[in-house]
Amino acid sequence: MSRTVISLIIENESGATSRIVGLFSQRGYNIESLTVAATQDSSLSRMTLVTRGEPRVIEQIMKQLNKLINVLRVSELTASDYIEQEISLVKVACIGSKRDEVCRLVDIFNAKIIDATPKMYTVRLFGDGNKLDAFVKQVEQTSEIIEVVRSGVIGISRGEKALRA
Amino acid sequence: MEMLSGAEMVIRSLQDQGVERIYGYPGGSVLDIYDALFQQSSIEHVLVRHEQAAVHMADGYSRATGEVGTVLVTSGPGATNCITGIATAYMDSIPMVLISGQVPTTMIGEDAFQETDMIGVSRPVVKHSFLCKNVEDLPTIIKKAYYIASTGRPGPVVVDIPKDIMNPALKFPYEYPTSVSLRSYNPTQQGHKKQIRKALKTLIEAKRPIIYAGGGAVWNDTPALIKQLATHIGCPVTNTLMGLGVFPGTDEQFVGMLGMHGTLEANKSMHFSDVIFAIGVRFDDRTTNNLEKYCPNSTIIHIDIDPTSISKTVNADIPIVGYAHNVLTAMLEMINDENLQNNKADIETWWKQINEWRDKKCLGYETSEESLKPQQVVEAMYKATNGDAYVCSDVGQHQMFAALYYPFDKPGRWINSGGLGTMGFGLPAAMGVQMEFPDSTVVCITGDGSIQMNIQELSTCLQYDLPIKIIILNNHALGMVKQWQDMVYKGRHSHSYWDSVPDFVKLAEAYGHVGIKVDKPAELEGALERCFSLKDKLVVMDIAVDELEHVYPMLVKYGAMNEMYLSKTERT
Ligand SMILES: Cc1ncc(C[n+]2csc(CCOP(=O)(O)OP(=O)(O)O)c2C)c(N)n1
Ligand SMILES: [Mg+2]
């Protein structure tokens, strides 16, 4: 079951997202993450969806998405070179010497502290899923993690290739 | 420009779309539309007794004509009562537009009286849906609804209109668009030339080819094109339950329906073929049996308008996406232009084999003096109607007996709920057909169980003078359920039979129709003759049939296409 990242351009209207989410639950496909927001053309939204399945299932998912009337374009990013990014915001409880340790990890991971109180830091981190996981794992060794928020993956193909409406 | 209220726009849009009849049931949120309907005369409204029946009526009309049926219902219970009907149409790809009222936009989400999220509830069973939030959008939405419903792979479209959008006091400029285009919807119409050539080459070189056509081959001139192709190749043809009539049922090249209750010769021909030429089918589980054992030596050519149907369950070796009639036209041109001929000696050997299977006479059954066999009733019905009736079926054993023992020579004559298997479909579907073809013989073949699922429509039939002939194969049981219990559950008849079946003759009479009871084989022919001679009367025939009869052939569970039970005691 390979991890597949799918990029979609859909109509920016109320029912569109629910049709896509509905399709996944209705046909028993899984969604690992899903992000959606309007594009520079406010009548369109861009969605990045991460799923997992046998090649035959992925093929059906692509076709079924294409079939939805509100969906304009569908592209399997993982089928060629692509870039994916995710943001996570991590709230860590830390006092005393722990604060330095967390700061060191923040440096190593190229993250940034974007909020702080005497008892905690909120860290922002960009990267792919592995990097975000690794950061959390490391921090956990020294401090208590209070909250983790991940944006879900957004992706784009590398080079000249583009998905346009 | 003409100024109209939202309610008037709905009706005017339907008129401008060419709609002549709608099926519906009024209620609070659509009273403004009903008022606009009252003040015009070009659209006829058919008042049913339950909204589900309105949807099946529109569906039946569509299956017999290929046109889009139109339904109008109120919000809440009116809308939810339609869901079974919409799902029925969706599963069989029937074009339909259903307009439902909704609570005012200002009250949506407040659990207002008779509010249901119709867009949400219907979402999994529609091709598409629209919630109309601006009066000015109404004409375009209605135009789009008909366009989407009728093009590509057809299907039902819901248009949900809140009550304030229909306010008769507020007038807006009206213009009905002559055409619409959707940037995100553009079905592929022509097949890929290279694929078509490859498919044709494969078919021409086949030693044991079979054509397998279904519900996607019923319209346009697809049946005639299939006939031409089949004649040229000389191969056997099978139809799915949804495709009966696509290829003439009485043609020598027709090997019968395939699938769970398909004929021995159809299922075996599929299994032992080397090329399957599939047109407008979806390799539904009722037609494939165990996928792992499916037609092991067959190269599969699959023509379909819907890419999702291709390689969904069975992998297509040569897929062609496009309208079947376009693809077949292109193929026949290639055959003509290049004078392509297949090897007739191979085909002859193939038929020798098929005819051996045919000689087993898998549809044979034994008659008796005491009780009527359901098969015998269908055969008598075929005779009494000269094989030329519209036959609308419910769901159960009677449905399979009708499919197997009434050969259909024309498409659009066999009307049944194949995909969803909706009991209660038959009578309202027959009403939709009879209303469209008042002078044709329209039969509803049904069971003592199914007929009771929309029996209230006998009242609608009286109101609109619909002389349907309802043939109840009365086995005092949910026969198909009982058959499975006999075969799979060691005869434990859990809730599949009853002793409280009503007196259908009295029931028919109570609704103002004619009822005829038949108990003995000797009475059958005379009774049917009388039934069909009562041209302008609805007749309910309550025919007692052998309660122990099973439908055969039947595919062996988890088996291949060539593994079948042929009777209670024989299997392949
Ligand atoms: C609405 C609905 N409920 C349940 C079923 C399951 N089912 C399939 S056939 C059948 C029995 C039908 O009985 P009847 O109409 O008397 O037909 P028979 O099989 O006896 O000919 C049932 C309950 C169904 N298809 N549709
Ligand atoms: Mg019965």
Side-chain angles (χ1 to χ4, degrees):
Chain A
M1 297 242 290
S2 57
R3 177 174 178 273
T4 303
V5 182
I6 298 169
S7 198
L8 299 111
I9 298 177
I10 65 176
E11 304 264 12
N12 184 8
E13 45 176 75
S14 60
T17 310
S18 78
R19 284 180 219 275
I20 292 168
V21 175
L23 173 74
F24 275 72
S25 61
Q26 185 183 331
R27 295 192 180 264
Y29 310 143
N30 67 63
I31 298 182
E32 281 189 6
S33 96
L34 182 149
T35 64
V36 59
T39 64
Q40 74 280 18
D41 172 350
S42 64
S43 73
L44 298 174
S45 293
R46 180 77 178 238
M47 178 182 277
T48 310
L49 202 153
V50 182
T51 184
R52 217 170 260 281
E54 303 296 338
R56 163 180 227 105
V57 173
I58 299 295
E59 187 187 326
Q60 261 299 310
I61 290 177
M62 298 295 291
K63 288 178 177 175
Q64 293 286 355
L65 285 169
N66 253 312
K67 189 172 160 179
L68 292 175
I69 310 280
N70 291 140
V71 173
L72 272 78
R73 296 275 179 278
V74 188
S75 156
E76 189 185 332
L77 288 178
T78 28
S80 53
D81 267 358
Y82 78 105
I83 302 163
E84 71 172 73
Q85 283 284 309
E86 194 171 354
I87 302 182
S88 92
L89 302 176
V90 185
K91 199 172 269 191
V92 189
C94 48
I95 37 173
S97 64
K98 302 279 190 212
R99 291 177 85 84
D100 285 346
E101 281 179 46
V102 171
C103 280
R104 224 181 51 240
L105 285 172
V106 166
D107 269 350
I108 294 171
F109 280 85
N110 222 342
K112 194 169 177 182
I113 296 171
I114 55 170
D115 186 30
T117 72
K119 288 189 201 148
M120 66 95 198
Y121 283 141
T122 299
V123 179
R124 181 191 67 199
L125 176 65
F126 294 102
D128 62 16
N130 289 339
K131 182 175 162 189
L132 305 190
D133 288 343
F135 177 75
V136 168
K137 220 172 182 177
Q138 290 302 315
V139 172
E140 262 173 349
Q141 313 261 317
T142 65
S143 312
E144 186 202 347
I145 291 192
I146 299 169
E147 233 184 300
V148 178
V149 184
R150 286 172 66 155
S151 63
V153 170
I154 55 169
I156 198 162
S157 53
R158 265 190 198 284
E160 311 285 315
K161 203 172 163 216
L163 190 63
R164 290 206 192 89
Chain B
M1 214 180 283
E2 200 178 355
M3 302 295 282
L4 296 178
S5 73
E8 290 164 341
M9 272 191 200
V10 172
I11 297 304
R12 272 298 294 279
S13 299
L14 294 180
Q15 288 170 342
D16 288 344
Q17 181 62 37
V19 174
E20 288 170 0
R21 187 180 295 127
I22 61 180
Y23 314 87
Y25 206 87
S29 70
V30 285
L31 286 178
D32 293 326
I33 300 188
Y34 271 85
D35 195 47
L37 199 55
F38 190 81
Q39 301 177 47
Q40 56 87 53
S41 57
S42 77
I43 296 180
E44 180 190 5
H45 176 275
V46 181
L47 179 71
V48 291
R49 299 298 178 264
H50 185 298
E51 288 90 350
Q52 183 188 346
V55 187
H56 291 328
M57 269 191 95
D59 183 323
Y61 156 78
S62 181
R63 289 179 202 239
T65 60
E67 302 291 327
V68 184
T70 307
V71 179
L72 172 62
V73 293
T74 191
S75 67
T80 54
N81 268 350
C82 293
I83 296 297
T84 302
I86 298 172
T88 303
Y90 179 72
M91 287 296 275
D92 290 344
S93 309
I94 305 302
M96 176 184 295
V97 171
L98 182 137
I99 296 170
S100 52
Q102 184 52 276
V103 301
T105 46
T106 50
M107 291 168 82
I108 287 179
E110 290 180 357
D111 300 323
F113 177 64
Q114 295 196 327
E115 175 181 4
T116 24
D117 172 12
M118 182 56 173
I119 297 293
V121 171
S122 65
R123 201 207 63 238
V125 293
V126 295
K127 181 169 175 186
H128 196 55
S129 49
F130 295 93
L131 172 62
C132 186
K133 288 183 182 154
N134 300 297
V135 184
E136 300 97 311
D137 296 343
L138 265 172
T140 308
I141 286 181
I142 291 177
K143 183 82 191 176
K144 281 183 181 171
Y146 281 89
Y147 173 63
I148 292 172
S150 60
T151 52
R153 178 176 180 176
V157 176
V158 163
V159 179
D160 201 34
I161 314 178
K163 177 145 190 178
D164 51 335
I165 299 295
M166 296 177 277
N167 187 346
L170 301 175
K171 307 268 182 179
F172 293 82
Y174 168 83
E175 189 179 14
Y176 197 63
T178 47
S179 68
V180 281
S181 72
L182 285 96
R183 58 182 175 181
S184 56
Y185 174 73
N186 213 343
T188 311
Q189 307 203 352
Q190 308 290 341
H192 194 284
K193 267 269 145 64
K194 256 197 182 147
Q195 288 291 91
I196 294 179
R197 179 165 294 283
K198 194 170 154 197
L200 186 55
K201 182 164 181 282
T202 308
L203 182 64
I204 293 280
E205 285 170 5
K207 289 186 160 61
R208 298 181 309 280
I210 181 164
I211 294 177
Y212 155 38
V218 173
W219 295 113
N220 305 100
D221 46 357
T222 311
L225 296 166
I226 291 176
K227 173 86 180 143
Q228 276 183 52
L229 183 68
T231 307
H232 184 78
I233 302 290
C235 63
V237 181
T238 180
N239 285 160
T240 65
L241 179 68
M242 290 307 299
L244 292 177
V246 164
F247 198 76
T250 54
D251 194 295
E252 202 39 43
Q253 277 174 263
F254 188 62
V255 289
M257 177 173 85
L258 86 170
M260 175 157 282
H261 291 296
T263 63
L264 178 80
E265 49 270 38
N267 285 341
K268 283 217 169 194
S269 299
M270 286 293 285
H271 186 82
F272 290 104
S273 66
D274 64 348
V275 171
I276 292 174
F277 191 89
I279 310 163
V281 295
R282 55 190 180 88
F283 294 87
D284 165 85
D285 53 275
R286 284 294 189 268
T287 64
T288 59
N289 215 9
N290 188 341
L291 287 174
E292 271 158 33
K293 299 180 184 169
Y294 186 69
C295 305
N297 302 311
S298 313
T299 300
I300 292 170
I301 299 166
H302 189 185
I303 305 169
D304 206 281
I305 188 67
D306 179 6
T308 67
S309 286
I310 289 176
S311 298
K312 181 171 63 184
T313 55
V314 171
N315 193 54
D317 300 294
I318 309 176
I320 305 174
V321 176
Y323 280 122
H325 60 278
N326 288 343
V327 175
L328 291 170
T329 304
M331 268 186 191
L332 288 162
E333 271 169 19
M334 282 182 199
I335 290 182
N336 264 334
D337 293 350
E338 298 163 37
N339 191 22
L340 301 173
Q341 300 291 343
N342 58 334
N343 185 332
K344 291 293 181 291
D346 287 341
I347 297 289
E348 215 169 287
T349 316
W350 183 214
W351 274 111
K352 233 187 196 156
Q353 171 66 77
I354 296 169
N355 285 332
E356 271 173 35
W357 297 325
R358 246 186 193 163
D359 288 344
K360 293 245 160 49
K361 303 222 179 298
C362 70
L363 296 182
Y365 61 93
E366 275 168 34
T367 51
S368 80
E369 306 252 309
E370 294 83 54
S371 70
L372 271 161
K373 295 286 176 180
Q375 300 92 324
Q376 172 182 10
V377 177
V378 175
E379 286 183 338
M381 186 180 103
Y382 180 80
K383 256 179 54 199
T385 58
N386 299 317
D388 201 31
Y390 287 88
V391 178
C392 303
S393 180
D394 262 309
V395 173
Q397 289 182 317
H398 60 273
Q399 176 190 25
M400 292 302 133
F401 287 128
L404 290 169
Y405 294 86
Y406 195 113
F408 292 90
D409 280 338
K410 294 181 199 151
R413 292 302 179 105
W414 165 244
I415 288 166
N416 85 133
S417 164
L420 198 67
T422 308
M423 288 171 69
F425 172 81
L427 175 57
M431 290 158 60
V433 177
Q434 185 78 79
M435 196 162 255
E436 188 62 18
F437 301 108
D439 300 325
S440 299
T441 305
V442 178
V443 174
C444 166
I445 179 110
T446 182
D448 45 311
S450 294
I451 191 63
Q452 295 190 68
M453 285 218 179
N454 267 318
I455 192 95
Q456 77 286 344
E457 296 308 318
L458 286 175
S459 165
T460 312
C461 291
L462 186 70
Q463 181 172 348
Y464 294 93
D465 286 325
L466 301 175
I468 299 164
K469 306 297 180 262
I470 300 174
I471 314 273
I472 304 175
L473 299 188
N474 192 343
N475 52 11
H476 285 87
L478 301 176
M480 189 56 97
V481 170
K482 203 170 120 193
Q483 172 168 351
W484 279 62
Q485 290 168 339
D486 283 337
M487 296 177 73
V488 189
Y489 297 90
K490 302 207 168 96
R492 292 188 295 273
H493 294 164
S494 179
H495 303 275
S496 56
Y497 64 103
W498 44 52
D499 309 317
S500 59
V501 175
D503 180 336
F504 289 111
V505 170
K506 278 194 190 146
L507 209 138
E509 288 166 0
Y511 276 105
H513 305 299
V514 177
I516 301 175
K517 199 166 171 59
V518 180
D519 286 317
K520 300 197 176 51
E523 303 164 2
L524 179 67
E525 267 184 40
L528 279 175
E529 207 168 286
R530 191 175 148 228
C531 163
F532 287 104
S533 70
L534 293 168
K535 289 270 179 243
D536 45 8
K537 283 281 185 192
L538 184 148
V539 183
V540 174
M541 298 278 294
D542 180 7
I543 306 181
V545 295
D546 185 345
E547 296 175 8
L548 300 178
E549 198 60 30
H550 284 179
V551 182
Y552 292 108
M554 182 168 174
L555 286 170
V556 175
K557 220 173 162 192
Y558 308 123
M561 290 286 282
N562 65 332
E563 296 174 78
M564 274 163 279
Y565 298 106
L566 297 173
S567 71
K568 283 183 184 168
T569 52
E570 279 170 280
R571 55 168 284 189
T572 49

